[in-house]
Amino acid sequence: DLIYPEGVACAAVLTAGSSESSKGFKTILKGLAIGGVFKFLSSGLKVFVGSVEAATKLGSSVLFFGGDASPALLAVGYIFNLNIAVLVFLGGSIGWLIAMPMMGTPEVWMDMETLDLAWTLWSKEVRYLGVGAMITGGVWSIFSVRRGISSGVSALMGKYSSGDSAKPEQKDVSIGLIGLVFVTCFFIMLFLYNNLIGSFGLSLFTTVIMIVASFLFVAVSSYIVGLVGSSNNPVSGMTISALLATAVLFLLFGFKGDSAILATLGVAAVVCCAACTAGDCSQDLKTGSLLKATPKAQQIAQMIGVVIPAFFIPWTLSLLHSAYGIGEGLKAPQATLFASITNALFGTGTIPYDMVGYGVGLGIFVLIIDNVFLKGKKFRLHLMPLAVGIYLPITLAVPMLVGGLIRFFIEKSRNKEVNEGEDQGVLLSSGLIAGEALMGVMVAVLLVADFSFMKDIVAKTSDIGHVLKEVLSTLAFIVVAYYLHKKSKETV
C-alpha cells in the first residue's frame, strides 16, 4: 500500500545493466565535480558569493529580492519536483513579499541599513508565521496517519506472537535482540541526560518522554515517507510538536531554568534523529524487499550504520562550527528555532506569539483549502513545504524553484515516463548535492587548519568588487542550470 519512492528508485539503479549503470555513475561523478568546484570557489576562494540579494524601502515597507547561487539547491528543486518547489517558493513569498511589507518598519529598527532591516524583520518576526504553520502541520501529520500507526503496531505484535516467517526474505531480527538494543539505548540516554542535566529524577523523566515521543514519531515518519518520500518528510513539524509537548509537561511539573532547556532540547534532538533515521531505514528496507534481500541482515547493518557514525558526527559538527559558525554561516534554521522556543518558555528570551498564532491560523486555512478543494487533484497544497518556505529565507527557495521548473518542462517534453533511477537529471542532481556537501567539509578543514595559501588567495579575491562577484555567481549558476537542463534530456 505504501510507495517508498526513493527505495524504488534505488532498487532500479541497482538492477540496471552494467553499461547503463556505468553511464549513470559517470553522471553522478560529473555532478560531484561541478558541485565541489562551485563550493570551493564560493566558500573557499570567495570568488563567488553565496547569495545575490538587494532590498529597498517603499514608504515604511521593506521590499526584498534575491536568491542563492547554489547548485545543490538547484538540484534539490529538481529532485523535489515542481509541486514541492512551488510550495516552498509560495511560502517564501507569503513571508517575504506579503507579510514583511505589511509589517512596516518598527521604530526601534528605523536607522538600520535596508538589507539588514529586511533580514532582521524576517529573523525576529516573519519566520514565526512559519513556526505556527509547522505546529499545525505537525499535529495534522500525527492525526492523518493515526490508523496507519494503529494497524502497524497490531501487525508487529501479531508477527512476533506467531513467530518468525520461514522465508528468508521476510525474516526480521529477533524480538530478543530488539529488546536488548532498546534497554541498552535506554540506559545510554539516561546516562547522557543525567550528565547534561545533573538531576537523576529529571533525567529519568526525560528519558521516558523521549522513548514515548520517539516511538510515536518514528511511526509517523515511516508511514509518511512511504506515501510521499523522504524529501517531503515533515521532520521539522514533528520535532516542533515533540518539543512543545515536552515543554508543556515540564512546565506542568514545575521544571524551569537551564535544566529544563537542556532536557527539552535533548528530547527534541533524539526525536529529530529518530524520525530522520526511520525514514531512511524504511526506504532501505523497501529496496531490500524489491531485491529479495533478508530484512534481518539489513536491520543489523542499519544498527551498525547508526553506531559507527555517532563517533564521527560530533567531530564533523565541531569542525563546521569552527569554520563557518553553526547558526551564522551555516544558518541551521530549525536548530535556531528550537533554541529560541525553549529559551522563551524557560529562560529570558521572547518570541512573537501573535505571529505564531497567525501562522497556526494560516496553517488551518491551508489544510481546509487542500482537503476540501484540491483533494484528488494533481497539484496539492501540502502544508509542511509551504510552512518551511515561510520559515526559511526566500533566497533558498529561488534556486529550488528553478530546479523544479527545469524538471517540469523536461517531463512535459518526454514521450514516456522515466524511472528516477534512469533520470540523468536526478543522477546529476545527486552528484551536485553530494559534491557541494563534501567540498563544504573539505573547505572547513582548510579554514580551520589556517593554511597560508588560502589566506593569500582570499586576500587577492577580496579586491574583486561585490557587484562583480554577484554577476560572476549568477552567470555560473545559469551555466550549471543550463547543463542540468541539457543532461536531463538524456536517459540512462
Side-chain angles (χ1 to χ4, degrees):
D1 297 329
L2 297 176
I3 303 168
Y4 291 105
E6 288 89 348
V8 174
C10 288
V13 172
L14 291 171
T15 54
S18 58
S19 61
E20 297 173 330
S21 59
S22 174
K23 182 179 179 182
F25 183 65
K26 288 177 181 177
T27 301
I28 294 174
L29 289 180
K30 290 177 182 177
L32 278 166
I34 294 170
V37 169
F38 203 105
K39 184 67 175 178
F40 186 68
L41 291 173
S42 175
S43 298
L45 303 184
K46 310 295 184 183
V47 176
F48 297 156
V49 293
S51 181
V52 179
E53 56 192 34
T56 185
K57 274 192 174 183
L58 186 63
S60 62
S61 298
V62 179
L63 301 178
F64 177 91
F65 312 92
D68 282 3
S70 169
L73 291 173
L74 175 76
V76 167
Y78 187 94
I79 293 174
F80 271 1
N81 274 320
L82 185 60
N83 192 167
I84 301 300
V86 165
L87 290 175
V88 174
F89 183 78
L90 179 60
S93 299
I94 291 172
W96 290 76
L97 305 181
I98 298 176
M100 186 182 293
M102 287 176 63
M103 284 186 60
T105 303
E107 189 173 342
V108 67
W109 297 329
M110 288 292 288
D111 296 332
M112 276 189 174
E113 292 291 333
T114 309
L115 193 57
D116 293 336
L117 174 60
W119 283 101
T120 301
L121 284 170
W122 167 76
S123 176
K124 301 293 185 182
E125 298 285 341
V126 172
R127 70 190 309 185
Y128 289 94
L129 276 174
V131 173
M134 278 193 279
I135 292 172
T136 302
V139 173
W140 178 253
S141 297
I142 300 170
F143 178 77
S144 62
V145 298
R146 63 196 184 283
R147 292 189 181 89
I149 295 173
S150 176
S151 62
V153 171
S154 299
L156 181 67
M157 294 300 101
K159 176 181 176 64
Y160 284 111
S161 63
S162 61
D164 288 340
S165 170
K167 296 181 180 179
E169 63 269 20
Q170 296 179 356
K171 191 173 183 65
D172 294 294
V173 295
S174 67
I175 192 70
L177 178 58
I178 290 177
L180 177 63
V181 171
F182 174 83
V183 171
T184 303
C185 290
F186 179 89
F187 283 106
I188 289 174
M189 292 309 303
L190 177 60
F191 171 79
L192 176 61
Y193 286 148
N194 190 54
N195 188 51
L196 287 172
I197 301 168
S199 167
F200 182 79
L202 178 57
S203 300
L204 181 61
F205 187 46
T206 302
T207 308
V208 172
I209 294 174
M210 178 271 294
I211 292 291
V212 174
S214 295
F215 177 84
L216 176 63
F217 288 109
V218 159
V220 174
S221 176
S222 300
Y223 190 81
I224 288 178
V225 298
L227 291 173
V228 296
S230 296
S231 301
N232 305 317
N233 192 9
V235 174
S236 295
M238 289 186 279
T239 308
I240 289 174
S241 299
L243 184 144
L244 291 174
T246 303
V248 168
L249 284 174
F250 286 153
L251 288 171
L252 289 174
F253 282 92
F255 296 114
K256 56 184 179 180
D258 290 344
S259 60
I261 292 175
L262 288 170
T264 304
L265 290 176
V267 173
V270 174
V271 168
C272 183
C273 292
C276 291
T277 306
D280 178 62
C281 288
S282 299
Q283 299 288 0
D284 293 344
L285 290 168
K286 178 66 174 183
T287 301
S289 175
L290 294 172
L291 298 177
K292 307 300 181 185
T294 304
K296 180 180 178 179
Q298 284 189 279
Q299 290 156 2
I300 292 173
Q302 287 170 334
M303 292 179 191
I304 297 171
V306 168
V307 172
I308 293 178
F311 291 96
F312 296 93
I313 289 173
W315 303 103
T316 305
L317 291 174
S318 297
L319 173 68
L320 293 173
H321 182 61
S322 298
Y324 304 113
I326 295 178
E328 297 171 6
L330 296 176
K331 295 182 176 67
Q334 287 90 340
T336 305
L337 166 65
F338 303 152
S340 299
I341 292 175
T342 51
N343 193 33
L345 291 172
F346 299 108
T348 58
T350 59
I351 58 176
Y353 291 103
D354 55 337
M355 298 298 284
V356 175
Y358 296 146
V360 170
L362 175 64
I364 294 172
F365 176 73
V366 169
L367 286 174
I368 292 172
I369 294 296
D370 183 56
N371 286 278
V372 173
F373 299 103
L374 298 178
K375 202 163 188 177
K377 304 290 185 181
K378 191 171 183 180
F379 180 86
R380 295 296 302 273
L381 202 60
H382 300 297
L383 176 56
M384 287 308 298
L386 188 140
V388 169
I390 298 174
Y391 181 75
L392 294 175
I394 193 175
T395 55
L396 277 68
V398 172
M400 289 171 57
L401 178 63
V402 174
L405 286 169
I406 290 174
R407 184 160 188 178
F408 173 76
F409 288 115
I410 287 295
E411 289 184 342
K412 281 197 71 173
S413 66
R414 286 173 177 160
N415 297 323
K416 61 176 183 178
E417 186 174 344
V418 177
N419 187 288
E420 287 212 352
E422 301 173 340
D423 190 324
Q424 287 284 77
V426 171
L427 298 174
L428 181 65
S429 295
S430 301
L432 290 172
I433 295 169
E436 191 166 323
L438 291 172
M439 184 55 71
V441 176
M442 293 174 64
V443 168
V445 172
L446 295 174
L447 292 175
V448 172
D450 203 22
F451 285 113
S452 58
F453 84 92
M454 286 284 291
K455 285 184 174 181
D456 294 339
I457 296 174
V458 172
K460 291 178 181 178
T461 57
S462 63
D463 295 333
I464 303 174
H466 186 75
V467 174
L468 179 57
K469 286 184 179 181
E470 288 186 326
V471 171
L472 291 174
S473 304
T474 303
L475 291 175
F477 177 81
I478 291 172
V479 170
V480 175
Y482 171 77
Y483 183 68
L484 176 61
H485 178 270
K486 180 181 177 183
K487 199 69 180 174
S488 302
K489 293 180 179 179
E490 306 173 12
T491 54
V492 175

